[in-house]
Amino acid sequence: MMQVNTVMNIWIVLPILIPLLTAVGAVLAWNWRRVQRVLSVIGSAALLGAGLKLLLTVWTDGILALQIGSWPAPFGITLAADLFSAIMVVLAGLLAVTVTLYSLASMDMERESFGYYPILHILLMGVCGAFLSGDIFNLYVWFEVLLIASFVLLTLGGERAQLEGAIKYVTLNLMASALFLAGVGVLYGIAGTLNMADLAVQLAKMEHPEIVTAVSMLFLIAFGIKAAVFPLFFWLPASYHTPPVAVSAIFSGLLTKVGVYALFRVFTLLFVHNIRYTHTMILIIAGFTMVTGVLGAVAQTEFRRLLSFHIVSQIGYLLMGLGLYHPAAMAAAVFFMVHVVLAKSTLFLVSGVVHWLQGTYDLKKLGGLYASAPGLALLFLIPALSLAGIPPLPGFFAKLALVGAGLQLGQYVISAVALAVSILTLFSMIKIWNEAFWKPQPLAATCASAQPVLLIIPIVLLALVILGIGFFAGPLFTLAARAAEQLSDPAGYIQAVLGGA
Amino acid sequence: MVSLILSTAVRYIFPLQLLFSIFLLLRGHNEPGGGFVGGLVVAAAFSLVALANNVWTAQRTMGVNPRVLIGVGLLAAAVSGLQALIAGQPFMTAAWIARDIPVLGKVGTPLLFDFGVYLVVIGVTLTIIFTLMEE
Amino acid sequence: MEIILAIVIGVLYAGGLYMMKRRSIVKLVIGLALLGHAANLLIFTMGRLVRGRPPIIPTGAGQLQAPFADPLPQALILTAIVIGFGIQAFAIVLIKRAYQTVGTDDLDDMKATDGI
């Protein structure tokens, strides 16, 4: 079996290797910014291609696993890709391409010459590594890789707000890492293994499941901080609006989602022995996350801070899918994940163009953009209405499926909360629309009229993908359903990693 | 504050440290040692030069920006894994040259990987130390 | 031995959390470092303590004889220490820059990002 799969297994390594090689190339070309930019575009495109190929391979051949260095499974380091990881890698590739294109036009020279591109690709390597890791300690290592890269991206430029935001971001994420590490240690102490598939087997045999539940809470808090769930999300709105927009976009699209991915992975594979307790807890957290996030957003008048609070609120929906712990709900969550990653990043990129045009992020000072830039207004409306859940945009289908699953499972409270939060989301999006696009511009401030094409192309690209998902929701739903099927039945994953045993 | 004793001593210690680091790098596959400690010893050697004289002397002695070492090191590590991909084996499967080579001992892709680690450790550590000392 | 280590780990966690609750960013970083050490020691202790039996196969013998110390936690700790080293170096540069830019090390004065 090993022999047959090895050729296909290349596709698991490539999403990690491509960003690494791109970063290396960019480091070696430190003084030639033009070379770095070209390399960065090529690397991102290659990552997207490799991700798509990986998704296709996993779709046709089932879950892939690769034992690094040919060391057999529970002892060596394992990379594993099921449909969910493959989807996440594709999303990372898509964001890499769009954000790189956007950076070409928007990143200032100073940041570019201090290693923006190499670090961006190191970040992508960490993200893809986390998605593909089949080993809980390596998951920790990949988390740290992406964390260090994100620290540097966040502080690159060294403005006051950036540094202050970074202190909060760094502190809380380091706490999460320390808890994660402690959790890994305890898990190793009780199960004697770190390979996730093997852990699943060992934990199922545990005599004292209460200990496992206790450990699972450590992981819930650690990943919860990284995923920015209630009440651990305060670092996010304090920091995400401080770096350049391209960085905010990739952070909002990928970083918290890695936390959510990790929660999905451990709470479908490892900690499933006491669902009544753990997953109900997740469901409650999901509800509070949705509500506090959206209430925070409603109160904001700064474009990017408002969007930051929305990230938190959307995380709640994703966790709701996990908390319901039913294939239909998780399929909806996977679909929601695709949609929210795209929509959120698009909105951040739009905020960047708005800033480019009128020189501010303050909604009170913005205005008149519908008259001066109708195309941009349309590009804003697509992701905004999708997030709020207006048909035929993908957000509608995602929420419909999620709430439908909730009602079907008799979880009426969380379903009602999800619907109410949806309305508040719509309200806050309309608020941006009214303030920034509809009302006349309050001060006749100097505003650039021309929009660089490179700023618009990535937004158009993402908006088209969102529209495409909306019109062809069926196939994506089939994909999401199969991903959820794999998540809810870990036997296939364990079989793929550990072999015939 | 430059100490005459230290800067004189460093002149003798420095080459010994570099030699010792290579010794550590080469014995690392099966015995205590390896690219990581080897790299740290090199970094310690250059930090000592920086302490005894000043940062600029250390940078001049190095002759190459630590950043380049990070790039080359990562490349070496990645290439050591790529070899297996080309041979159709799982990523990073070790390949050894059948016969021992004098001085180097067993030679294969793990040695290349270790060498990459060695360079990355030197690069990262010295980047951090030089940055902190320059300010 | 386990009990002593457990107490040490507890003290490290308590000390780390106490330091993190101070307002000074320098103490914040020290607190984070302590938390990291506590986690490392926790892994070390969770891997079962075995004294004087290194996991090295003696010359002549074919395999290890139980009991021997588990090498894996040490490998994990080494990795975690290295990562911690990198992150702490970054954190120190960060607080230094923040101190230079903001002009204070008091977290309560760092409110530029908190306004609504």
Side-chain angles (χ1 to χ4, degrees):
Chain A
M1 190 188 112
M2 285 293 289
Q3 289 303 320
V4 187
N5 277 343
T6 41
V7 181
M8 294 181 308
N9 282 340
I10 292 176
W11 300 110
I12 300 191
V13 186
L14 281 186
I16 299 172
L17 213 51
I18 290 171
L20 173 65
L21 292 176
T22 314
V24 167
V27 166
L28 293 179
W30 192 269
N31 291 324
W32 300 285
R33 285 193 301 125
R34 193 177 292 267
V35 180
Q36 286 194 34
R37 293 158 70 115
V38 173
L39 266 178
S40 190
V41 173
I42 296 173
S44 310
L47 178 60
L48 178 59
L52 286 171
K53 176 69 191 169
L54 177 66
L55 182 61
L56 206 66
T57 317
V58 178
W59 175 257
T60 51
D61 300 346
I63 301 171
L64 290 184
L66 171 68
Q67 318 300 343
I68 296 279
S70 304
W71 300 103
F75 310 111
I77 293 172
T78 303
L79 294 183
D82 63 355
L83 276 175
F84 187 39
S85 352
I87 293 172
M88 297 307 292
V89 170
V90 172
L91 287 175
L94 194 59
L95 280 195
V97 170
T98 46
V99 167
T100 306
L101 287 178
Y102 194 89
S103 307
L104 293 183
S106 67
M107 203 48 61
D108 48 289
M109 213 171 90
E110 194 195 345
R111 285 191 173 90
E112 279 191 341
S113 55
F114 272 97
Y116 170 74
Y117 291 112
I119 296 162
L120 178 67
H121 285 274
I122 294 284
L123 178 80
L124 289 169
M125 175 178 81
V127 169
C128 290
F131 290 150
L132 294 173
S133 172
D135 174 307
I136 194 101
F137 188 75
N138 275 284
L139 187 64
Y140 166 77
V141 174
W142 289 122
F143 259 110
E144 297 301 298
V145 169
L146 75 89
L147 214 54
I148 292 182
S150 71
F151 291 165
V152 181
L153 281 183
L154 190 62
T155 47
L156 208 59
E159 291 159 24
R160 176 173 175 166
Q162 277 187 306
L163 293 172
E164 291 189 11
I167 285 181
K168 289 155 195 167
Y169 177 87
V170 168
T171 312
L172 278 163
N173 276 293
L174 286 189
M175 272 215 58
S177 295
L179 288 173
F180 185 6
L181 192 58
V184 170
V186 178
L187 209 51
Y188 180 72
I190 59 177
T193 178
L194 292 166
N195 183 298
M196 285 201 268
D198 197 29
L199 268 174
V201 176
Q202 301 296 336
L203 291 182
K205 288 192 272 194
M206 284 299 282
E207 283 173 25
H208 300 288
E210 313 82 43
I211 304 178
V212 185
T213 310
V215 182
S216 77
M217 288 300 114
L218 265 181
F219 280 93
L220 182 61
I221 294 172
F223 293 143
I225 294 177
K226 287 177 195 288
V229 303
F230 175 86
L232 311 163
F233 63 80
F234 293 100
W235 56 272
L236 192 147
S239 59
Y240 267 28
H241 64 288
T242 57
V245 169
V247 177
S248 295
I250 199 138
F251 277 20
S252 76
L254 289 179
L255 291 199
T256 48
K257 307 306 179 288
V258 182
V260 175
Y261 167 84
L263 280 174
F264 266 82
R265 183 59 73 211
V266 299
F267 280 96
T268 57
L269 188 60
L270 305 184
F271 306 122
V272 287
H273 50 277
N274 194 354
I275 291 167
R276 272 176 75 87
Y277 181 74
T278 49
H279 289 62
T280 309
M281 181 87 106
I282 293 175
L283 211 52
I284 295 169
I285 291 174
F288 276 108
T289 309
M290 283 186 233
V291 173
T292 44
V294 85
L295 287 181
V298 167
Q300 295 300 317
T301 54
E302 210 262 25
F303 205 142
R304 290 190 297 170
R305 271 179 74 89
L306 200 162
L307 294 180
S308 301
F309 271 104
H310 266 299
I311 300 176
V312 177
S313 160
Q314 308 299 328
I315 297 288
Y317 283 97
L318 295 170
L319 284 194
M320 176 181 159
L322 175 62
L324 291 172
Y325 196 61
H326 181 270
M330 284 198 281
V334 172
F335 190 96
F336 198 95
M337 178 80 100
V338 175
H339 139 78
V340 79
V341 166
L342 299 174
K344 203 81 247 171
S345 306
T346 319
L347 283 175
F348 266 101
L349 295 183
V350 168
S351 81
V353 180
V354 167
H355 183 262
W356 179 279
L357 288 176
Q358 303 207 331
T360 175
Y361 290 107
D362 190 348
L363 288 178
K364 286 178 187 145
K365 291 180 193 150
L366 288 168
L369 280 167
Y370 179 66
S372 62
L376 185 66
L378 183 68
L379 287 177
F380 167 77
L381 275 185
I382 293 171
L385 293 182
S386 181
L387 269 190
I390 305 288
L393 293 160
F396 168 73
F397 299 112
K399 284 184 180 170
L400 185 69
L402 206 49
V403 172
L407 291 177
Q408 197 190 333
L409 293 170
Q411 301 282 6
Y412 299 112
V413 179
I414 190 83
S415 308
V417 169
L419 286 176
V421 169
S422 228
I423 295 170
L424 285 174
T425 309
L426 182 61
F427 169 73
S428 62
M429 285 302 161
I430 289 177
K431 177 174 159 186
I432 298 184
W433 173 258
N434 275 340
E435 296 285 332
F437 291 90
W438 199 245
K439 78 162 192 250
Q441 196 177 0
L443 300 161
T446 50
C447 51
S449 53
Q451 307 157 18
V453 185
L454 263 179
L455 286 184
I456 297 297
I457 289 175
I459 302 178
V460 173
L461 207 66
L462 283 173
L464 283 180
V465 176
I466 294 175
L467 278 180
I469 293 174
F471 290 128
F472 301 100
L476 183 63
F477 238 107
T478 323
L479 180 66
R482 257 182 72 180
E485 218 173 275
Q486 287 178 352
L487 283 176
S488 49
D489 179 23
Y493 185 91
I494 295 169
Q495 159 90 33
V497 172
L498 295 182
Chain B
M1 187 197 74
V2 175
S3 147
L4 184 64
I5 299 174
L6 186 59
S7 60
T8 315
V10 162
R11 251 181 260 165
Y12 297 98
I13 296 171
F14 179 71
L16 284 178
Q17 277 178 308
L18 294 190
L19 210 59
F20 183 56
S21 81
I22 293 171
F23 167 71
L24 283 174
L25 168 68
L26 290 179
R27 84 195 290 262
H29 186 65
N30 276 330
E31 283 166 294
F36 187 81
V37 269
L40 281 183
V41 170
V42 175
F46 281 102
S47 321
L48 207 56
V49 174
L51 275 179
N53 305 291
N54 53 49
V55 195
W56 297 277
T57 318
Q59 280 165 335
R60 232 187 357 263
T61 318
M62 246 186 113
V64 48
N65 195 318
R67 202 175 48 229
V68 179
L69 293 185
I70 302 178
V72 176
L74 282 176
L75 194 64
V79 167
S80 79
L82 277 180
Q83 183 277 336
L85 275 191
I86 295 162
Q89 289 164 314
F91 187 60
M92 288 217 157
T93 302
W96 298 97
I97 294 174
R99 285 176 52 196
D100 278 14
I101 289 175
V103 184
L104 292 182
K106 270 180 95 176
V107 175
T109 51
L111 184 65
L112 184 60
F113 183 84
D114 237 9
F115 183 65
V117 173
Y118 180 76
L119 291 184
V120 172
V121 170
I122 299 174
V124 170
T125 317
L126 286 181
T127 307
I128 295 170
I129 291 174
F130 286 167
T131 316
L132 283 173
M133 285 181 90
E134 269 171 13
E135 287 186 5
Chain C
M1 194 62 196
E2 270 92 352
I3 292 177
I4 299 174
L5 272 176
I7 292 170
V8 171
I9 294 166
V11 169
L12 278 175
Y13 268 117
L17 288 174
Y18 176 78
M19 289 302 255
M20 287 185 71
K21 286 181 179 169
R22 308 280 90 193
R23 278 157 57 183
S24 155
I25 45 178
V26 180
K27 288 175 182 162
L28 185 74
V29 172
I30 297 174
L32 283 174
L34 288 181
L35 280 192
H37 296 322
N40 288 339
L41 262 187
L42 179 69
I43 298 179
F44 182 64
T45 319
M46 288 306 286
R48 310 284 186 280
L49 302 175
V50 178
R51 289 185 74 178
R53 303 296 298 258
I56 295 175
I57 303 172
T59 23
Q63 60 185 47
L64 277 176
Q65 293 202 334
F68 54 88
D70 187 351
L72 194 64
Q74 301 173 26
L76 302 186
I77 293 168
L78 180 64
T79 316
I81 288 176
V82 172
I83 292 172
F85 161 72
I87 287 181
Q88 278 159 31
F90 175 84
I92 288 168
V93 175
L94 174 68
I95 59 169
K96 197 173 168 191
R97 288 275 153 77
Y99 177 71
Q100 285 164 348
T101 317
V102 185
T104 170
D105 76 331
D106 190 342
L107 272 173
D108 279 8
D109 292 336
M110 300 196 175
K111 288 179 182 160
T113 62
D114 286 356
I116 288 179

Coordinates of all heavy atoms in Angstrom, one line a residue, chain A residues 282-324:
Chain A
I282 N -19.3 23.6 23.7 CA -18.9 24.3 22.5 C -20.1 25.1 22.0 O -20.0 26.2 21.5 CB -18.4 23.3 21.5 CG1 -17.1 22.7 21.9 CG2 -18.2 24.0 20.1 CD1 -16.5 21.6 21.0
L283 N -21.3 24.4 22.1 CA -22.5 25.0 21.5 C -22.8 26.3 22.3 O -23.2 27.4 21.7 CB -23.7 24.1 21.7 CG -24.8 24.1 20.6 CD1 -24.2 24.1 19.2 CD2 -25.7 23.0 20.8
I284 N -22.7 26.3 23.6 CA -23.0 27.5 24.4 C -22.0 28.6 24.1 O -22.4 29.7 23.8 CB -22.9 27.1 25.9 CG1 -24.0 26.1 26.3 CG2 -23.0 28.4 26.8 CD1 -23.8 25.5 27.7
I285 N -20.7 28.2 24.0 CA -19.7 29.2 23.6 C -20.0 29.8 22.2 O -19.9 31.0 22.0 CB -18.3 28.5 23.6 CG1 -17.9 28.1 25.0 CG2 -17.3 29.4 22.9 CD1 -16.6 27.3 25.0
A286 N -20.5 28.9 21.3 CA -20.8 29.4 20.0 C -21.8 30.4 20.0 O -21.7 31.5 19.4 CB -21.3 28.2 19.1
G287 N -22.9 30.2 20.8 CA -24.0 31.2 20.9 C -23.5 32.5 21.4 O -23.7 33.6 20.8
F288 N -22.7 32.5 22.5 CA -22.2 33.7 23.1 C -21.2 34.4 22.1 O -21.2 35.7 22.1 CB -21.5 33.4 24.4 CG -22.4 33.4 25.6 CD1 -22.7 32.2 26.2 CD2 -23.1 34.5 26.0 CE1 -23.6 32.1 27.2 CE2 -24.0 34.4 27.1 CZ -24.2 33.2 27.7
T289 N -20.4 33.6 21.4 CA -19.5 34.2 20.5 C -20.2 35.0 19.4 O -19.9 36.1 19.1 CB -18.6 33.1 19.8 OG1 -18.1 32.3 20.8 CG2 -17.5 33.8 19.0
M290 N -21.3 34.4 18.8 CA -22.1 35.0 17.8 C -22.6 36.4 18.3 O -22.5 37.4 17.7 CB -23.3 34.2 17.4 CG -23.0 33.0 16.5 SD -24.6 32.3 16.1 CE -24.3 30.6 16.6
V291 N -23.2 36.3 19.5 CA -23.9 37.5 20.0 C -23.0 38.6 20.3 O -23.1 39.8 19.9 CB -24.8 37.1 21.2 CG1 -25.4 38.4 21.8 CG2 -25.9 36.1 20.8
T292 N -21.9 38.3 21.2 CA -21.0 39.3 21.6 C -20.3 39.9 20.4 O -20.1 41.1 20.3 CB -20.0 38.8 22.6 OG1 -19.5 37.6 22.1 CG2 -20.5 38.7 23.9
G293 N -19.9 39.1 19.4 CA -19.2 39.6 18.2 C -20.0 40.6 17.5 O -19.6 41.7 17.2
V294 N -21.3 40.2 17.2 CA -22.1 41.1 16.4 C -22.5 42.4 17.2 O -22.6 43.4 16.6 CB -23.3 40.3 15.8 CG1 -24.5 40.3 16.8 CG2 -23.8 41.0 14.5
L295 N -22.7 42.2 18.5 CA -23.0 43.4 19.3 C -21.8 44.4 19.2 O -22.0 45.6 19.1 CB -23.4 43.1 20.7 CG -24.8 42.4 20.9 CD1 -25.0 42.1 22.3 CD2 -25.8 43.3 20.3
G296 N -20.6 43.8 19.4 CA -19.4 44.6 19.3 C -19.4 45.3 17.9 O -19.0 46.5 17.8
A297 N -19.7 44.6 16.9 CA -19.6 45.2 15.5 C -20.6 46.3 15.4 O -20.3 47.4 14.8 CB -19.9 44.1 14.5
V298 N -21.8 46.2 15.9 CA -22.8 47.2 15.7 C -22.4 48.5 16.4 O -22.7 49.6 15.9 CB -24.2 46.7 16.4 CG1 -25.2 47.8 16.5 CG2 -24.8 45.6 15.5
A299 N -21.6 48.4 17.4 CA -21.2 49.6 18.2 C -20.1 50.4 17.5 O -19.8 51.5 17.8 CB -20.8 49.3 19.6
Q300 N -19.4 49.7 16.5 CA -18.2 50.3 16.0 C -18.4 51.4 14.9 O -19.4 51.3 14.2 CB -17.3 49.2 15.4 CG -16.7 48.3 16.4 CD -15.9 48.9 17.4 OE1 -15.1 49.8 17.1 NE2 -16.1 48.5 18.7
T301 N -17.5 52.3 14.8 CA -17.6 53.3 13.7 C -16.4 53.3 12.8 O -16.2 54.1 12.0 CB -17.9 54.7 14.1 OG1 -16.9 55.0 15.1 CG2 -19.3 54.8 14.7
E302 N -15.5 52.3 13.1 CA -14.2 52.3 12.3 C -14.4 51.0 11.4 O -14.7 50.0 11.9 CB -13.0 52.1 13.2 CG -11.7 52.7 12.7 CD -10.8 51.7 12.0 OE1 -11.4 50.7 11.6 OE2 -9.6 51.9 12.0
F303 N -14.2 51.3 10.1 CA -14.5 50.2 9.1 C -13.8 48.9 9.5 O -14.5 47.9 9.7 CB -13.9 50.7 7.8 CG -14.6 50.1 6.6 CD1 -14.8 50.8 5.4 CD2 -15.0 48.8 6.6 CE1 -15.4 50.3 4.3 CE2 -15.6 48.2 5.5 CZ -15.8 49.0 4.4
R304 N -12.5 48.9 9.8 CA -11.8 47.6 10.0 C -12.1 47.0 11.3 O -12.1 45.8 11.5 CB -10.3 47.8 9.8 CG -10.0 48.1 8.3 CD -8.5 48.0 8.1 NE -7.8 49.1 8.8 CZ -6.5 49.1 9.0 NH1 -5.7 48.2 8.4 NH2 -5.9 50.1 9.6
R305 N -12.3 47.9 12.4 CA -12.7 47.3 13.7 C -14.0 46.6 13.6 O -14.3 45.6 14.2 CB -12.7 48.4 14.7 CG -11.4 48.7 15.4 CD -11.4 49.8 16.4 NE -12.1 49.4 17.6 CZ -11.5 48.8 18.6 NH1 -10.2 48.6 18.6 NH2 -12.2 48.5 19.7
L306 N -15.0 47.3 12.9 CA -16.3 46.7 12.7 C -16.1 45.3 12.1 O -16.7 44.3 12.6 CB -17.1 47.6 11.8 CG -18.6 47.5 11.8 CD1 -19.3 48.7 11.3 CD2 -19.1 46.3 11.1
L307 N -15.3 45.2 11.0 CA -15.1 43.9 10.4 C -14.4 42.9 11.3 O -14.8 41.7 11.3 CB -14.2 44.1 9.1 CG -14.9 44.9 8.0 CD1 -13.9 45.0 6.8 CD2 -16.2 44.3 7.5
S308 N -13.5 43.4 12.2 CA -12.8 42.5 13.1 C -13.8 41.9 14.0 O -13.8 40.7 14.3 CB -11.8 43.3 13.9 OG -10.9 43.9 13.1
F309 N -14.8 42.7 14.5 CA -15.8 42.1 15.4 C -16.6 41.1 14.7 O -17.1 40.1 15.3 CB -16.7 43.2 16.0 CG -16.1 43.7 17.3 CD1 -15.5 45.0 17.3 CD2 -16.2 43.0 18.5 CE1 -15.0 45.5 18.5 CE2 -15.7 43.5 19.7 CZ -15.0 44.7 19.7
H310 N -16.9 41.3 13.4 CA -17.6 40.4 12.6 C -16.9 39.0 12.5 O -17.6 38.0 12.5 CB -17.9 40.9 11.2 CG -19.2 41.6 11.1 ND1 -20.4 40.9 11.3 CD2 -19.5 42.9 10.8 CE1 -21.4 41.8 11.2 NE2 -20.9 42.9 10.9
I311 N -15.6 39.1 12.4 CA -14.9 37.8 12.4 C -15.3 36.9 13.6 O -15.6 35.8 13.4 CB -13.3 38.0 12.4 CG1 -12.9 38.8 11.3 CG2 -12.6 36.7 12.5 CD1 -11.4 39.2 11.3
V312 N -15.3 37.6 14.8 CA -15.6 36.9 16.0 C -17.0 36.3 15.9 O -17.2 35.1 16.1 CB -15.6 37.8 17.2 CG1 -16.0 37.1 18.4 CG2 -14.2 38.4 17.3
S313 N -17.9 37.1 15.4 CA -19.3 36.6 15.3 C -19.4 35.4 14.4 O -20.1 34.4 14.6 CB -20.2 37.8 14.8 OG -21.4 37.3 14.3
Q314 N -18.7 35.4 13.2 CA -18.8 34.3 12.3 C -18.2 33.1 12.8 O -18.6 32.0 12.5 CB -18.1 34.7 11.0 CG -18.5 36.0 10.4 CD -20.0 36.0 10.0 OE1 -20.5 35.0 9.7 NE2 -20.6 37.2 10.1
I315 N -17.1 33.2 13.7 CA -16.5 32.0 14.3 C -17.6 31.3 15.1 O -17.6 30.1 15.1 CB -15.4 32.5 15.3 CG1 -14.3 33.2 14.5 CG2 -14.9 31.3 16.1 CD1 -13.4 32.3 13.7
G316 N -18.5 32.0 15.7 CA -19.6 31.4 16.4 C -20.4 30.4 15.6 O -20.7 29.3 16.0
Y317 N -20.7 30.9 14.3 CA -21.5 30.0 13.4 C -20.7 28.7 13.1 O -21.3 27.6 13.1 CB -21.7 30.7 12.1 CG -22.8 31.7 12.2 CD1 -22.6 33.1 12.3 CD2 -24.2 31.3 12.1 CE1 -23.6 34.0 12.4 CE2 -25.2 32.2 12.1 CZ -24.9 33.6 12.3 OH -25.9 34.5 12.4
L318 N -19.4 28.9 12.9 CA -18.6 27.7 12.6 C -18.6 26.7 13.8 O -18.8 25.5 13.6 CB -17.1 28.1 12.3 CG -16.9 28.9 11.1 CD1 -15.5 29.5 11.0 CD2 -17.2 28.1 9.9
L319 N -18.5 27.3 15.0 CA -18.5 26.4 16.2 C -19.8 25.8 16.4 O -20.0 24.7 16.9 CB -18.1 27.2 17.4 CG -16.6 27.5 17.6 CD1 -16.3 28.0 19.0 CD2 -15.8 26.3 17.3
M320 N -20.9 26.5 16.0 CA -22.2 25.9 16.1 C -22.3 24.6 15.4 O -22.8 23.6 15.9 CB -23.2 26.9 15.6 CG -24.7 26.4 15.6 SD -25.8 27.7 15.0 CE -27.2 26.7 14.5
G321 N -21.7 24.6 14.2 CA -21.7 23.4 13.4 C -21.0 22.2 14.1 O -21.5 21.1 14.1
L322 N -19.9 22.6 14.8 CA -19.1 21.6 15.5 C -19.9 21.1 16.7 O -20.0 19.9 17.1 CB -17.8 22.1 15.9 CG -16.9 21.3 16.8 CD1 -16.5 20.0 16.1 CD2 -15.6 22.0 17.2
G323 N -20.5 22.1 17.4 CA -21.2 21.8 18.7 C -22.4 20.9 18.4 O -22.7 20.1 19.3
L324 N -23.1 21.1 17.3 CA -24.2 20.2 17.0 C -23.8 18.8 16.8 O -24.5 17.8 17.0 CB -25.0 20.7 15.8 CG -25.7 22.1 16.0 CD1 -26.3 22.6 14.7 CD2 -26.9 21.9 17.0

